[in-house]
Amino acid sequence: MKPEYANIFVVSSNSSRKESVVSFYYEYPEFNNAGFTKTPQDDRNININSMQRVLVSSIVLTSEAAQQLGLTLLKSTQDQVKNPGTQN
């Protein structure tokens, strides 16, 4: 089953920086049959929780669209700091 929402995103771009890709993932701990997190041991005998990452969606943006998205996100956070508790 594909997740309906994402809790992680990754931004990457091509070498010329003319396009960017924003990929959205759903990351979650993997559990065994008893309901405990799977904790395989590494070479140093340390238990590490096993996390799974599933791709939800990706968006390809031109450099201009990526810059505009960044400015929009920055502005939305600045507005919230100036007016805490208001609905946008």
Side-chain angles (χ1 to χ4, degrees), residues 10-85:
V10 176
V11 179
S12 57
S13 63
N14 60 11
S15 59
S16 67
R17 304 255 187 223
K18 292 188 186 256
E19 290 181 332
S20 295
V21 177
V22 183
S23 298
F24 299 92
Y25 296 91
Y26 175 63
E27 188 172 82
Y28 59 95
E30 184 179 30
F31 293 98
N32 62 19
N33 292 337
F36 297 102
T37 351
K38 289 186 179 179
T39 53
Q41 291 186 342
D42 69 3
D43 295 339
R44 296 163 298 185
N45 223 15
I46 297 173
N47 286 329
I48 299 173
N49 285 338
S50 178
M51 298 294 287
Q52 296 295 319
R53 186 178 280 190
V54 178
L55 177 66
V56 175
S57 180
S58 292
I59 301 171
V60 178
L61 301 167
T62 63
S63 59
E64 295 82 14
Q67 289 174 355
Q68 187 60 45
L69 175 61
L71 291 172
T72 302
L73 290 170
L74 184 60
K75 181 168 177 13
S76 71
T77 59
Q78 290 171 339
D79 289 347
Q80 290 178 6
V81 171
K82 290 178 187 172
N83 302 316

